Amino acid sequence: MSLDFGWLRWILTVAFGAICVKSLLTVVYNVYFHPLRNFPGPKLAAATPFPFVWRIVNGRMVKWTQELHDKYGIVVRIHPDELSFIGSSAWKDIFLAPRPQLPKPTIGALETPSRVPSMTTIPDAENHHRQRKIISHAFSPRALQEQEYILQKWTDLLITRLHDQGKEVDVCEWYNYLTFDVIGNLCFGESFHCLETAENHPWIAAIFPGIKIAQILTIFHHFPPLDKLVRWGLPFVIAEKIKENHTFTSQKIDQRITAKSERPDFMKYILENNYPGGMTREEINSTVTLLILAGSETSAQTLTGATYFALSNPPVMERLKQEIRRTFAKDPSKIMVSRVSELPYMHAVIQETLRIHPTEPIAVPRQVDRPIEVCGVSVPAGVRVGIPMQTAFRTSFNFVEPDTFIPERWLDDADPKFARDDKAMFEPFLVGPRNCIGMPLAWAEMKLTLAKILLNFDLELSEKNAGDWSAQKVFLLHDKKPLYVKIMPRL
Ligand code: HEM
C-alpha cells in the first residue's frame, strides 16, 4: 500500500509561504513604518536582526559598531529595535535621569544556571533594589577596610608563586588565579586554590565556555518562538556542567553559613542584613555566582591590559616603575591600599587601560518603556538603547588620538590638547543604580597587585606573543588571550 503524503507537502508549502510573507511584511514595516525608521544606520540592520546577531556569533560586535558610528555619527540604528549612542549625555539620559530606572531587557540577557535571576540579571528596578540593598553592606568602605588583609595575603602569595616560576609566565593566567582566589575567599570564606596549584578550579574552567555558549544562544531571543525552544533545550546541552556548578556554589554557601564565621567576607554581610522578605536562598546562590564572575575576570583583564600596554610603551613603564619604586623602596611592607591609592600615575595607567580595553566592551542596553530623550533626540517606547563602551571610548568624537595609549591625558598637568577629551564619556564602571558595586574593591586589588609586581620584578614582553594582544573577539566579555611575560626578580 503506498502512502500519500500530498497533504503534508501542502501543509509545509502553506506554512513556508506564510513565514515568507510574514518576514517580508516585517521587513517592509521595519524599514518604512517602524518608529525608528528615520534613525541613521545600514538598511539591512534596520530591516532584520541578522547583521546584529551575526556579530554576536562571530564576536566582532565592537569592530562593527566602530565602523557604523564612524560612518553615521553619535546615534546608529544597529538592530530593528535597538539604538546605539556614543555621546556623553547618553549616560545621564539612559542610566541616571529616568525615574524609575529603565529596566534591563530580557532579550540578550544571560540566564543563571538555576534560572533564578541574579542581582544583575533581574530586569526590574524594584527587585534589583531589594537585592542590591542587602549586598551593598558587603561593599561599604568599612567592609573594604576589613577585607584588606585578604587582598594583602593573596597578592603576597602571587608574588611568592611568581618567584617560584620559570623566567616566563602567562600573566593573564596568573592574574586570573589571583582574582579568583580573592573572590573565592570573599564569597565562600575559602579560596579556589588556583595560586597554590597553578591551575584553574573546574568551576572556573567550566564557566567561561558556558558564558560564551549562553551569549551565542541569546541570538535566538531575536527570533521568537525559537527563543522558547532554546530555553527548553539549553539544559540538555550543558546540563551536567550547569548542575555541577550549581551544586558546588550551593554546597560552598551551605558550608560558609554553617561555619557561622565572623570573617568580614561578603557572606557575613549578606547574612547579617538579609531581613525577612530580602533575598531567597536561590537568589543568594545566583548572586554569588555573579559576584565571582564580576569580581574576578574584570580585574584580571584590566591587570593584564595594564601590563601589556605599559610594556608596549617603554616610557610609560619607566614612569610607572619610578613612581612605585620611589614610594615604596625604603619599606616594601608599607604597600597598603590607602598608600597605593595616592599614586597618580598608576591611577592614570589603569584608567587609560579601561579606556582602550574596557571590561564591558559592547552595550548592555536598557528597555525604553516610556518616551525619553537621548543625546537630544526623542526615542519612542518599545525599543532598546545602549552605549557600546569600547566604541565610545575609542572614537575621535570623544577622545584625542583615541587609539593611542596615553595615560598622561588623565593627569592634572596633561598637555592642553587633551582638554578636548570628553572625559564625561568615560564611565567604565557604568553609572546609576546598577553601576559596579565592586568599584572600590577593584581599584584596591588592581593597584595593590601592580605595585607589588613592579616592586618585585622587572618585566619584558616575550617574543611568544603574536600580534596585538588587545585585538580580541568579544562574547560579552573579551575572549581573552594569553600574555607571555619574562619576569626578572629584583628583590
Ligand atoms: C576593573 C574592574 C571592574 C570593572 C571595569 C567593572 C565594571 C562593571 C560594569 C560595567 C558593571 C555593569 C554591568 C551591567 O551592564 O549590568 C558592573 C557591575 C557589577 N560589578 Fe563590576 N567591574 C569591575 C570589578 C568588579 C569587582 C572586583 C566586583 C566585586 C565583586 C564587581 C562586582 C560587580 C557587581 C556585583 C555588579 C552588578 C551590579 C548590579 O547589577 O547592581 N565588579 N561592573
Side-chain angles (χ1 to χ4, degrees):
M1 193 179 78
S2 75
L3 289 173
D4 179 7
F5 283 110
W7 58 271
L8 183 60
R9 202 175 315 125
W10 189 84
I11 289 178
L12 287 176
T13 310
V14 170
F16 181 70
I19 290 172
C20 288
V21 171
K22 180 171 181 288
S23 305
L24 196 68
L25 288 176
T26 306
V27 164
V28 172
Y29 169 78
N30 285 342
V31 176
Y32 297 106
F33 302 100
H34 193 286
L36 299 185
R37 63 187 175 280
N38 292 326
F39 280 87
K43 278 281 172 281
L44 197 59
T48 80
F50 284 108
F52 180 90
V53 299
W54 172 234
R55 269 62 185 206
I56 293 181
V57 174
N58 72 8
R60 303 273 184 215
M61 186 64 87
V62 169
K63 189 167 179 292
W64 187 56
T65 47
Q66 261 161 1
E67 286 163 5
L68 294 183
H69 280 287
D70 282 349
K71 183 165 176 194
Y72 295 100
I74 66 157
V75 51
V76 181
R77 187 181 182 192
I78 55 169
H79 177 284
D81 299 323
E82 187 166 328
L83 297 174
S84 173
F85 288 90
I86 57 162
S88 59
S89 61
W91 286 120
K92 175 175 76 48
D93 298 337
I94 299 173
F95 295 95
L96 289 171
R99 284 282 176 268
Q101 56 175 297
L102 300 179
K104 275 194 166 177
T106 44
I107 282 196
L110 301 192
E111 276 202 90
T112 55
S114 64
R115 300 243 154 112
V116 173
S118 71
M119 176 167 72
T120 198
T121 50
I122 286 179
D124 68 291
E126 203 178 312
N127 271 311
H128 169 261
H129 178 68
R130 172 176 54 82
Q131 283 206 27
R132 178 137 175 163
K133 216 165 81 185
I134 296 163
I135 300 287
S136 62
H137 295 276
F139 292 90
S140 68
R142 197 192 95 202
L144 180 58
Q145 242 175 24
E146 291 174 354
Q147 290 154 358
E148 175 162 353
Y149 82 94
I150 295 178
L151 297 181
Q152 292 287 0
K153 184 170 167 191
W154 263 265
T155 44
D156 283 347
L157 182 58
L158 170 72
I159 300 302
T160 311
R161 295 293 287 127
L162 285 179
H163 275 290
D164 299 342
Q165 302 307 304
K167 287 203 174 66
E168 196 167 293
V169 296
D170 170 8
V171 288
C172 180
E173 204 163 62
W174 281 90
Y175 288 141
N176 262 289
Y177 296 158
L178 167 75
T179 56
F180 273 117
D181 277 356
V182 167
I183 208 75
N185 252 286
L186 289 170
C187 288
F188 301 134
E190 188 192 335
S191 93
F192 282 102
H193 306 289
C194 302
L195 283 170
E196 285 125 292
T197 57
E199 258 178 35
N200 268 329
H201 186 278
W203 191 97
I204 299 161
I207 200 100
F208 287 110
I211 290 180
K212 195 165 165 180
I213 295 171
Q215 162 76 356
I216 291 176
L217 289 175
T218 61
I219 64 170
F220 292 103
H221 296 172
H222 301 271
F223 305 103
L226 289 181
D227 55 334
K228 298 213 171 37
L229 203 66
V230 171
R231 194 160 201 270
W232 174 81
L234 181 62
F236 294 101
V237 182
I238 46 175
E240 258 331 288
K241 289 282 167 228
I242 288 178
K243 217 168 105 200
E244 275 170 28
N245 273 17
H246 190 56
T247 311
F248 176 83
T249 309
S250 197
Q251 281 171 352
K252 286 287 169 196
I253 295 174
D254 277 344
Q255 282 167 12
R256 174 62 187 80
I257 292 173
T258 318
K260 294 200 167 64
S261 163
E262 277 306 301
R263 289 177 92 250
D265 52 26
F266 296 159
M267 285 310 290
K268 170 180 179 256
Y269 290 101
I270 296 173
L271 298 173
E272 269 177 12
N273 295 287
N274 197 12
Y275 53 86
M279 287 171 81
T280 65
R281 180 51 207 278
E282 276 303 335
E283 283 175 337
I284 293 180
N285 284 357
S286 294
T287 295
V288 166
T289 305
L290 157 75
L291 289 173
I292 293 173
L293 277 172
S296 55
E297 181 58 11
T298 44
S299 306
Q301 268 281 335
T302 309
L303 281 167
T304 314
T307 307
Y308 170 73
F309 293 120
L311 283 174
S312 309
N313 296 275
V316 171
M317 180 50 103
E318 202 42 50
R319 190 166 173 186
L320 181 60
K321 280 195 305 200
Q322 292 284 328
E323 186 183 68
I324 293 167
R325 292 176 187 178
R326 213 180 33 238
T327 313
F328 298 110
K330 288 211 187 90
D331 193 355
S333 65
K334 289 269 165 24
I335 304 189
M336 310 292 290
V337 169
S338 56
R339 298 213 49 213
V340 288
S341 308
E342 288 164 1
L343 302 181
Y345 197 66
M346 172 146 60
H347 191 78
V349 167
I350 298 175
Q351 275 198 300
E352 186 66 348
T353 303
L354 286 166
R355 186 187 68 79
I356 292 259
H357 194 72
T359 60
E360 189 172 281
I362 62 177
V364 176
R366 293 296 183 264
Q367 187 71 41
V368 181
D369 56 0
R370 72 213 91 143
I372 57 170
E373 200 163 283
V374 183
C375 295
V377 294
S378 301
V379 177
V383 303
R384 297 183 297 281
V385 285
I387 303 177
M389 285 198 202
Q390 189 155 325
T391 304
F393 298 172
R394 288 182 70 165
T395 163
S396 51
F397 285 120
N398 298 323
F399 288 95
V400 175
E401 298 177 47
D403 289 324
T404 315
F405 186 79
I406 312 174
E408 284 72 11
R409 72 173 80 233
W410 299 103
L411 298 176
D412 289 344
D413 61 354
D415 187 307
K417 72 179 174 185
F418 295 115
R420 281 188 285 123
D421 281 351
D422 187 353
K423 300 220 165 66
M425 186 69 244
F426 180 69
E427 293 291 359
F429 294 92
L430 208 76
V431 290
R434 298 187 89 136
N435 76 341
C436 179
I437 202 170
M439 184 166 71
L441 174 65
W443 277 114
E445 186 177 22
M446 292 188 294
K447 288 179 172 177
L448 215 49
T449 308
L450 264 191
K452 288 187 183 180
I453 291 266
L454 291 180
L455 200 62
N456 280 274
F457 301 99
D458 281 317
L459 308 178
E460 207 178 284
L461 282 177
S462 156
E463 301 76 29
K464 255 163 77 181
N465 299 302
D468 177 2
W469 172 85
S470 67
Q472 298 171 8
K473 291 188 177 183
V474 169
F475 297 96
L476 190 66
L477 304 170
H478 286 285
D479 203 18
K480 63 184 173 205
K481 288 198 259 184
L483 180 69
Y484 298 103
V485 169
K486 293 179 191 164
I487 50 169
M488 291 147 288
R490 57 178 293 277
L491 286 184

